[in-house]
Amino acid sequence: MSGNHPHGSTLSEMDLRVRALETLLVDKGWVDPAALDALVETYEHKVGPHNGARVVAKAWADEAYRERLRVDATAAIAELGYSGRQGEHMVALFDAPGVRHLVVCTLCSCYPWPVLGLPPVWYKSAPYRSRAVIDPRGVLADFGTTVPDDVELRVFDSTAELRYLVVPMRPAGTDGWSEDALARLVTRDSMIGTGTTLDPASLEDAR
């Protein structure tokens, strides 16, 4: 079960509270241990930014796939096995020279779980949700990302019906890289628009 830990392991206070709550819910019959384990397995291994990174890397490496992603992102993402709740209606936003994209959900925290996992705390915060629309350059500056004045910054507001995945520009110097290596350059924040991809020089051994 998900609460099992090796003897002698050190748990934080929060981990101990979660474990106690899990045990209580299971003992009272309110939670099925198998269902809980399946849920943990899903969010630890089956959904998350690594899925989105695979989508982006394939779009970089395969022009035909890139076009399918542009035309119908939901179907193209499903080709790689990533679909389901919170990913039913996807749109890919392609960064380009002179154009960057930023994604926010101003009403709540709509987010593409199958390709990005659970949303970070800051994505759900009121300051981000409001400032991303009225001062997107300021928000990006807070993340350490400077967008020149001559670059158009387009902000897209997610909804319960529509979610977005930013496809950042492929880093220079990655010609001939495998999709696996390319995927290692893609960060969660670059697929939201608040961050950038990693420097290829930091992963020269991954080519």
Side-chain angles (χ1 to χ4, degrees):
M1 194 175 98
S2 58
N4 291 338
H5 297 276
H7 291 295
S9 64
T10 302
L11 300 178
S12 68
E13 181 178 351
M14 180 60 69
D15 289 333
L16 289 171
R17 290 181 179 179
V18 170
R19 188 175 181 184
L21 178 60
E22 177 183 331
T23 300
L24 177 65
L25 294 175
V26 170
D27 287 347
K28 289 184 174 294
W30 293 341
V31 172
D32 179 358
L36 185 60
D37 283 346
L39 186 63
V40 171
E41 170 70 15
T42 294
Y43 285 101
E44 285 189 346
H45 303 291
K46 295 182 180 180
V47 304
H50 56 282
N51 291 350
R54 299 288 305 184
V55 172
V56 171
K58 189 166 186 64
W60 285 346
D62 184 336
E63 188 60 38
Y65 180 78
R66 183 182 181 89
E67 185 58 25
R68 294 198 299 277
L69 185 64
R70 186 188 305 277
V71 172
D72 187 344
T74 307
I77 291 170
E79 286 181 30
L80 302 186
Y82 311 138
S83 61
R85 186 182 178 197
Q86 309 298 326
E88 299 92 342
H89 305 288
M90 295 291 302
V91 170
L93 307 172
F94 293 84
D95 285 352
V99 178
R100 281 197 55 151
H101 299 88
L102 177 65
V103 178
V104 65
C105 179
T106 56
L107 292 179
C108 51
S109 59
C110 296
Y111 194 74
W113 294 2
V115 287
L116 292 185
L118 296 176
V121 172
W122 56 260
Y123 185 85
K124 299 181 288 184
S125 70
Y128 176 77
R129 287 159 45 200
S130 59
R131 287 189 61 221
V133 174
I134 62 177
D135 182 24
R137 278 181 165 76
V139 168
L140 292 185
D142 290 344
F143 280 90
T145 301
T146 300
V147 179
D149 290 339
D150 61 350
V151 173
E152 180 185 359
L153 184 54
R154 300 174 179 173
V155 180
F156 283 76
D157 193 356
S158 295
T159 68
E161 290 76 33
L162 197 61
R163 289 170 174 79
Y164 300 97
L165 176 72
V166 175
V167 180
M169 292 182 61
R170 179 172 177 165
T174 58
D175 292 344
W177 283 39
S178 68
E179 288 183 21
D180 286 342
L182 289 171
R184 291 179 60 184
L185 296 172
V186 185
T187 65
R188 178 199 65 192
D189 289 3
S190 72
M191 294 182 284
I192 299 173
T194 55
T196 60
T197 55
L198 298 180
D199 181 354
S202 67
L203 293 178
E204 283 293 334
D205 62 334
R207 297 170 60 177

